[in-house]
Amino acid sequence: MALTSAINAVSNYIMTKILISIVGPTAIGKTALSIKLAHHFNTEIISADSRQFYKEMQIGTAAPTPTELDAATHHFIKHISVDKYYSVGSFENDAIAKLKELHNDHSVVIMVGGSGLYVNAVTKGLDELPKIDQSLRETLNTKLQTDGLEALQFQLKELDPKAFETIAIDNPKRVIRALEVCLSSGKPYSSFLKGEDKLRDFKTITIGLTADREIIYNRINKRVDIMMAEGLIDEVKALRPKQHLNALNTVGYKEIFNYLEDQWDFGFAVSEIKKNTRRFAKRQLTWFRKNEETIWFDYKTDIEEILDCISRQITTP
């Protein structure tokens, strides 16, 4: 059987540490697959979903449920508060340290998440960027609140056209990060991106889940409806005093803030969440498809077929 084959392969290749990275668009079923694989390999899961780091953001980020968390040991799920600034660089350091710890007891560790930059931080490492003055970050955050994201995008386009064309320009955190590097160093942010992978002491096997666009969009729409039924409005209400924070300037929260402030009616806010989440899923797929080593499966693929593939990858030098 595929399971036996996979386990034997791991045993035969015990000197190699394995990271199975599961990627794909939001709402495609990554969490469910990660739990199945964690059971098969008797291992633990690292989350690389940057929105699910925050304790206060459960419903709107579709974080694993208590039942799912009980089904397998997870790391980096709801481990910090929205009040804490937590960069992708901090995550890289923390995740690599956790991987080293887990690999002492597990030949295989699972990583799952739709935040492409955070996935790359673990599997390939980040480029070294200059240190940033906290006051500059605060200034840019204030500008975001007063002038809007478009003003920051325009500033980045003037300072670094290449970065403007290549980063996730709709993500305020990415835009601010690029701007603060430009302004603090006097050099384009893109000039620091060398694209050289860091050496890792583990082998990464990347499994991608996908589906036809219509199926992905339908799954997203249904997920948003479930979020509303589960109490997203109340979750966002509780966060209104902190809505200026970067962590909350994200899909599912910013639209409800507009509704609560009587800028939008309820139906329009929900439709905007669905639209913006669909756009987010499209960007996710664009990012993940850049990695030619990703092995793609339809989201309905039987677990045995995926295990067969993983067992072959484990024993491939």
Side-chain angles (χ1 to χ4, degrees):
M1 291 179 64
L3 173 56
T4 302
S5 174
I7 293 176
N8 288 340
V10 174
S11 299
N12 293 335
Y13 213 67
I14 194 70
M15 296 304 293
T16 299
K17 301 171 184 176
I18 303 295
L19 176 67
I20 300 174
S21 174
I22 305 170
V23 302
T26 187
I28 198 65
K30 298 186 296 293
T31 296
L33 176 60
S34 70
I35 292 172
K36 290 178 181 178
L37 292 179
H39 286 171
H40 283 310
F41 290 106
N42 190 27
T43 190
E44 302 180 16
I45 299 171
I46 285 178
S47 172
D49 189 319
S50 62
R51 291 169 15 114
Q52 294 179 358
F53 294 161
Y54 301 105
K55 299 175 183 178
E56 302 89 342
M57 299 167 66
Q58 167 71 35
I59 299 172
T61 63
T65 65
T67 299
E68 289 170 328
L69 292 174
D70 287 342
T73 301
H74 288 70
H75 303 276
F76 304 104
I77 293 287
K78 297 191 293 184
H79 70 296
I80 57 173
S81 170
V82 292
D83 296 299
K84 180 179 179 181
Y85 177 76
Y86 192 66
S87 69
V88 64
S90 298
F91 173 71
E92 177 188 8
N93 293 333
D94 293 347
I96 291 299
K98 177 58 68 175
L99 263 176
K100 287 182 178 179
E101 175 189 325
L102 294 176
H103 272 143
N104 286 331
D105 298 315
H106 307 280
S107 296
V108 177
V109 177
I110 312 299
M111 182 169 72
V112 59
S115 302
L117 184 62
Y118 287 72
V119 172
N120 278 14
V122 175
T123 60
K124 303 183 179 196
L126 297 173
D127 293 289
E128 297 295 331
L129 299 176
K131 291 187 176 180
I132 306 300
D133 189 331
Q134 182 64 32
S135 63
L136 174 58
R137 180 171 295 134
E138 292 172 355
T139 298
L140 290 171
N141 278 319
T142 299
K143 184 173 182 178
L144 173 65
Q145 296 303 317
T146 57
D147 300 340
L149 178 59
E150 188 174 350
L152 296 181
Q153 292 171 335
F154 179 79
Q155 186 178 8
L156 180 61
K157 188 174 184 179
E158 291 289 310
L159 293 174
D160 190 352
K162 184 176 179 180
F164 179 82
E165 294 295 331
T166 55
I167 71 169
I169 200 66
D170 293 331
N171 186 320
K173 290 176 69 174
R174 303 288 178 266
V175 175
I176 287 174
R177 182 57 172 157
L179 274 175
E180 59 190 17
V181 170
C182 291
L183 293 171
S184 64
S185 68
K187 299 177 182 179
Y189 171 74
S190 56
S191 69
F192 291 92
L193 307 181
K194 308 301 182 184
E196 297 177 357
D197 295 352
K198 292 181 180 177
L199 291 176
R200 298 301 194 201
D201 65 352
F202 54 84
K203 175 179 179 178
T204 300
I205 300 170
T206 304
I207 301 297
L209 292 182
T210 190
D212 291 339
R213 184 172 63 178
E214 184 177 353
I215 291 173
I216 295 173
Y217 287 1
N218 284 339
R219 289 174 66 89
I220 287 171
N221 292 340
K222 289 178 181 178
R223 172 177 279 185
V224 173
D225 289 337
I226 291 171
M227 288 177 177
M228 303 311 300
E230 290 181 342
L232 180 59
I233 297 292
D234 289 336
E235 181 172 273
V236 178
K237 279 182 180 177
L239 290 166
R240 287 186 79 179
K242 301 179 179 182
Q243 70 180 87
H244 62 283
L245 297 174
N246 262 346
L248 292 167
N249 192 357
T250 188
V251 178
Y253 293 83
K254 59 184 180 181
E255 296 88 352
I256 298 300
F257 285 136
N258 284 339
Y259 162 68
L260 294 174
E261 293 168 3
D262 295 323
Q263 295 181 23
W264 294 348
D265 64 34
F266 177 76
F268 183 73
V270 174
S271 68
E272 285 294 290
I273 294 174
K274 292 178 178 179
K275 181 187 75 176
N276 291 333
T277 306
R278 293 193 298 266
R279 288 178 173 174
F280 175 57
K282 184 178 179 180
R283 293 196 302 272
Q284 286 177 304
L285 281 170
T286 298
W287 177 287
F288 290 128
R289 283 172 176 159
K290 292 177 183 177
N291 182 1
E292 296 180 356
E293 296 179 354
T294 300
I295 305 165
W296 290 96
F297 292 94
D298 182 82
Y299 78 110
K300 286 186 176 180
T301 302
D302 187 84
I303 185 65
E304 295 291 327
E305 183 177 338
I306 296 175
L307 279 166
D308 270 338
C309 174
I310 290 172
S311 67
R312 291 193 299 271
Q313 291 296 314
I314 286 176
T315 54
T316 300

